[in-house]
């Protein structure tokens, strides 16, 4: 099935979706498809407009054999890219999503479900099976072979009980020794089932046009099918038997994934329409704004919650803290509520996205960075920009770290306050935002706006590498 490319948050009229989807399958009832997806919370209807919808999950959604690839909204020129560049962009975005999902374990609550990928539907199961195969090879067990062999590894119990010695001067002499040997059992039925499953997983990725995007090689195909292993029921029974005798945690996860995959194959083979309808799988996130925030934290080496003693030990600060557990976040004031002389400190306070400290031979820099997932119009900057509340809050962030700065009185920081937003540009686009009367009252700096190449930030996130603050300056 040819993938369908759509833009995150872009508003599509039903007629637009018909044109797009009919290019893949002319017989599709698009109105019904979109309605079904809406019921599964995969597409949002714009209530203020008639028959207008938007997609919010960046990544891949497979629904009733349609493959939707939703790219981030900052890729404004995506539709003009050639096929190869489109695939490379999606592949890159999915690497960042994979890192984000790993960071926050957002598959499901239990670790058991996370590792088998079930929360991703069939795509998650397929990716888990293939990834495990690349890492560990074919599912195998070891069998204990008893044979006559090397006298250095003698099983004396069996040698004495089963062997016939020669008696010389009253001493038994054995000319044959029984030894144990552990050998991989690659010919078992469960190994064959695993190999066929890997081959079928590759088939699905290829059919969905995802083999290149997930870097899946085409050398995993084998000619045998599940029919060579018996009925689907007998295969599932074989997997269940293996689960009962298996105690290796990784192999148990593989078996669970195999069982889920076989059940999916069974539904398709039996054309169980009631269970296939509205079956979907997702590899993506509805929270790309949170991914962007996390990527900025990594790229600019966030120290907001890092113990100050660690910053001191690294030579970033001059003054050693009184309490080793103190962090910049712990120095931020909390609201105090007083009702009829009863005071109480609120649990929550301002929460900064990212604070970064950098020492140079001339100047010490402290950057307060707010990762904003906004799409500013460069020609009309106020369009798509953060609101007044965001600006005032960013000023408040600078005021919030004032106590920490005073505690480091011997150190003169040059403070920069940033809005950092993603762009498809290859260079950093600079600007600023200000409320002059507030700056005068609060003695805070103008907020510096940076539209940065998203690829730079996401690459740092994927590789866990970092950028110097000079990148923003």
């Amino acid at each position: 099935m040819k993938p369908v490319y759509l833009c995150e948050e872009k508003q599509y009229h039903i007629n637009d979706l018909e044109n797009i989807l009919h290019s893949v399958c002319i017989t599709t009832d698009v109105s019904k498809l979109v309605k079904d997806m809406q019921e599964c919370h995969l597409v949002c209807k714009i209530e203020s407009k008639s028959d207008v919808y938007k997609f919010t999950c960046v990544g891949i959604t497979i629904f009733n054999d349609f493959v939707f690839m939703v790219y981030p909204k900052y890729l404004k020129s995506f539709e003009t890219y050639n096929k190869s560049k489109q695939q490379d962009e999606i592949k890159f975005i999915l690497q960042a999503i994979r890192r984000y999902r790993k960071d926050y374990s957002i598959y499901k609550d239990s670790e058991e479900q996370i590792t088998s990928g079930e929360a991703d539907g069939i795509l998650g199961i397929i990716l888990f099976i293939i990834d495990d195969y690349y890492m560990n090879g074919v599912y195998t067990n070891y069998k204990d072979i008893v044979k006559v062999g090397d006298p250095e590894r003698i099983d004396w119990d069996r040698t004495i009980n089963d062997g016939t010695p020669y008696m010389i001067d009253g001493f038994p002499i054995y000319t044959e020794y029984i030894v144990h040997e552990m050998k991989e059992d690659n010919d078992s039925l469960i190994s064959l089932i695993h190999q066929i499953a890997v081959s079928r997983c590759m088939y699905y990725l290829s059919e969905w046009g995802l083999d290149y995007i997930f870097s899946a090689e085409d050398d995993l195909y084998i000619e045998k099918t599940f029919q060579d292993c018996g009925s689907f029921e007998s295969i599932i029974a074989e997997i269940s038997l293996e689960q009962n005798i298996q105690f290796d945690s990784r192999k148990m996860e593989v078996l669970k994934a195999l069982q889920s995959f076989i059940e999916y194959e069974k539904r398709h083979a039996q054309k169980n329409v009631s269970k296939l309808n509205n079956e979907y799988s997702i590899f993506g996130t509805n929270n790309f704004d949170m991914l962007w925030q996390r990527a900025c934290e990594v790229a600019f080496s966030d120290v907001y919650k890092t113990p100050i003693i660690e910053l001191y030990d690294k030579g970033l600060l001059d003054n050693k803290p009184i309490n080793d557990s103190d962090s910049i976040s712990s120095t931020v004031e909390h609201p105090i509520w007083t009702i009829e002389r009863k005071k109480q400190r609120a649990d929550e306070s301002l929460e900064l996205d990212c604070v970064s400290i950098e020492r140079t031979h001339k100047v010490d820099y402290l950057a307060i960075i707010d990762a904003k997932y906004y799409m500013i119009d460069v020609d009309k900057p106020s369009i798509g920009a953060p609101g007044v509340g965001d600006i005032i809050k960013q000023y408040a962030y600078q005021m919030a770290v004032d106590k920490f700065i005073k505690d480091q009185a011997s150190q003169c920081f040059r403070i920069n306050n940033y809005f950092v937003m993603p762009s498809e540009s290859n260079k950093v686009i600079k600007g600023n935002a200000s409320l002059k009367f507030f700056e005068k009252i609060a003695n805070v700096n103008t907020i510096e706006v940076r539209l940065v190449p998203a690829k730079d930030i996401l690459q740092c996130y994927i590789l866990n590498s970092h950028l110097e603050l000079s990148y923003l300056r």
Side-chain angles (χ1 to χ4, degrees):
M1 179 68 73
K2 177 183 173 184
V4 173
Y5 293 102
L6 298 167
C7 180
E8 173 202 16
E9 296 285 352
K10 181 178 179 179
Q11 297 185 8
Y12 292 92
H13 190 273
I14 192 68
N15 294 338
D16 300 325
L17 293 174
E18 284 180 350
N19 291 334
I20 294 169
L21 295 172
H22 281 167
S23 68
V24 177
C25 181
I26 191 65
T27 59
T28 303
D29 185 341
V30 175
S31 294
K32 183 180 185 307
L33 178 72
V34 172
K35 184 179 179 181
D36 291 343
M37 292 185 73
Q38 187 181 356
E39 290 177 356
C40 295
H41 306 289
L42 301 175
V43 63
C44 300
K45 189 176 188 302
I46 308 299
E47 295 299 334
S48 60
K49 299 180 181 180
S50 176
D51 291 330
V52 177
Y53 302 86
K54 66 178 180 179
F55 293 76
T56 59
C57 182
V58 175
I60 295 174
T61 300
I62 299 173
F63 186 84
N64 289 2
D65 288 332
F66 276 95
V67 180
F68 297 90
M69 294 191 182
V70 180
Y71 56 89
K73 58 188 178 182
Y74 64 80
L75 293 175
K76 297 178 180 179
S77 304
F78 187 89
E79 293 179 358
T80 66
Y81 298 168
N82 60 37
K83 180 182 177 182
S84 176
K85 188 174 180 181
Q86 287 180 336
Q87 286 187 322
D88 286 339
E89 285 289 354
I90 293 292
K91 184 175 183 178
F92 179 72
I93 293 301
L94 291 177
Q95 289 175 338
I97 290 173
R98 210 166 209 179
R99 164 74 195 266
Y100 178 70
R101 293 164 71 91
K102 182 180 179 182
D103 278 356
Y104 289 95
S105 300
I106 60 175
Y107 291 84
K108 277 194 176 180
D109 292 333
S110 77
E111 292 183 6
E112 187 177 21
Q113 290 168 319
I114 289 171
T115 49
S116 66
E118 285 187 349
D120 283 324
I122 189 58
L123 179 58
I125 293 167
I126 285 172
L127 292 176
F128 174 79
I129 291 173
I130 291 177
D131 286 348
D132 178 81
Y133 175 83
Y134 282 142
M135 188 175 296
N136 301 295
V138 177
Y139 184 103
T140 55
N141 286 320
Y142 285 87
K143 53 186 178 182
D144 187 9
I145 298 175
V146 179
K147 65 179 185 180
V148 176
D150 186 356
E152 292 184 2
R153 295 180 294 156
I154 301 171
D155 181 340
W156 280 110
D157 287 340
R158 288 207 174 189
T159 299
I160 293 171
N161 292 331
D162 299 340
T164 302
Y166 292 95
M167 302 300 294
I168 299 177
D169 296 333
F171 291 97
I173 302 297
Y174 292 89
T175 58
E176 292 184 340
Y177 304 97
I178 307 298
V179 299
H180 281 278
E181 185 177 293
M182 300 299 292
K183 186 177 181 181
E184 280 192 350
D185 186 6
N186 293 314
D187 299 323
S188 67
L189 179 57
I190 199 71
S191 295
L192 178 59
I193 292 170
H194 185 224
Q195 291 177 71
I196 295 170
V198 170
S199 178
R200 289 292 294 167
C201 287
M202 276 301 310
Y203 164 80
Y204 280 111
L205 287 186
S206 179
E207 280 291 294
W208 293 332
L210 302 178
D211 45 348
Y212 171 77
I213 285 174
F214 286 108
S215 303
E217 300 173 7
D218 59 0
D219 60 349
L220 307 182
Y221 295 107
I222 63 174
E223 293 183 0
K224 290 189 176 183
T225 67
F226 285 125
Q227 292 179 339
D228 296 313
C229 302
S231 66
F232 284 113
E233 289 78 8
S234 65
I235 293 173
I236 292 172
E238 180 69 21
I239 294 173
S240 296
L241 286 174
E242 181 70 16
Q243 286 175 318
N244 291 335
I245 61 171
Q246 185 56 255
F247 297 98
D248 181 283
S249 58
R250 183 197 67 81
K251 288 183 176 181
M252 290 172 70
E253 291 169 2
V254 173
L255 291 169
K256 186 176 180 182
L258 282 177
Q259 184 167 344
S260 297
F261 181 73
I262 301 299
E263 288 170 350
Y264 177 82
E265 287 276 78
K266 178 182 175 182
R267 293 196 298 275
H268 270 256
Q270 295 176 348
K271 300 190 185 307
N272 192 333
V273 177
S274 63
K275 290 188 176 181
L276 288 176
N277 280 347
N278 297 353
E279 186 166 3
Y280 65 88
S281 184
I282 296 174
F283 190 94
T285 176
N286 283 306
N287 302 304
F288 205 85
D289 57 335
M290 298 300 295
L291 185 154
W292 178 247
Q293 177 182 324
R294 177 61 185 150
C296 287
E297 290 172 6
V298 172
F300 298 109
S301 306
D302 176 37
V303 297
Y304 181 58
K305 294 185 178 179
T306 303
I308 294 174
I309 187 65
E310 288 187 22
L311 305 181
Y312 172 79
D313 290 342
K314 290 178 181 178
L316 291 173
L317 300 177
D318 288 341
N319 296 343
K320 190 174 182 179
I322 296 173
N323 297 315
D324 288 353
S325 61
D326 281 351
S327 63
I328 299 176
S329 62
S330 69
T331 66
V332 174
E333 285 190 19
H334 288 239
I336 303 293
W337 290 87
T338 304
I339 302 293
E340 293 186 346
R341 296 187 226 175
K342 294 178 182 178
K343 290 185 178 182
Q344 185 171 18
R345 177 180 179 270
D347 292 334
E348 295 182 356
S349 183
L350 289 172
E351 190 72 26
L352 284 66
D353 281 3
C354 174
V355 175
S356 185
I357 297 175
E358 183 176 281
R359 302 200 82 164
T360 68
H361 66 284
K362 290 184 178 180
V363 182
D364 294 343
Y365 292 96
L366 186 145
I368 302 164
I369 299 170
D370 197 15
K372 291 294 188 187
Y373 192 56
Y374 285 75
M375 303 300 110
I376 286 183
D377 187 325
V378 176
D379 297 321
K380 299 177 181 179
S382 65
I383 296 177
V388 174
D390 294 293
I391 294 173
I392 293 175
K393 185 184 286 187
Q394 193 66 18
Y395 287 141
Y397 289 162
Q398 182 178 340
M399 297 163 67
V401 299
D402 188 56
K403 182 180 185 303
F404 164 75
I405 293 171
K406 287 178 179 177
D407 289 343
Q408 301 294 324
S410 63
Q411 201 166 347
C412 185
F413 287 106
R414 181 173 294 178
I415 299 172
N416 297 99
N417 215 343
Y418 292 107
F419 282 153
V420 176
M421 308 178 200
S423 164
E424 64 178 342
S425 173
N426 291 320
K427 66 176 183 178
V428 177
I429 300 171
K430 298 179 180 180
N432 61 70
S434 63
L435 274 173
K436 291 301 181 184
F437 79 90
F438 202 97
E439 290 178 11
K440 291 179 182 178
I441 294 171
N443 191 28
V444 289
N445 299 347
T446 294
I447 299 166
E448 299 173 64
V449 177
R450 298 291 184 265
L451 278 59
V452 301
K455 207 151 196 172
D456 291 349
I457 306 300
L458 296 180
Q459 184 79 359
C460 286
Y461 185 45
I462 293 165
L463 300 178
N464 201 34
S465 58
H466 310 287
L467 294 168
E468 294 183 354
L469 289 178
S470 57
Y471 178 88
L472 296 175
R473 293 194 297 270

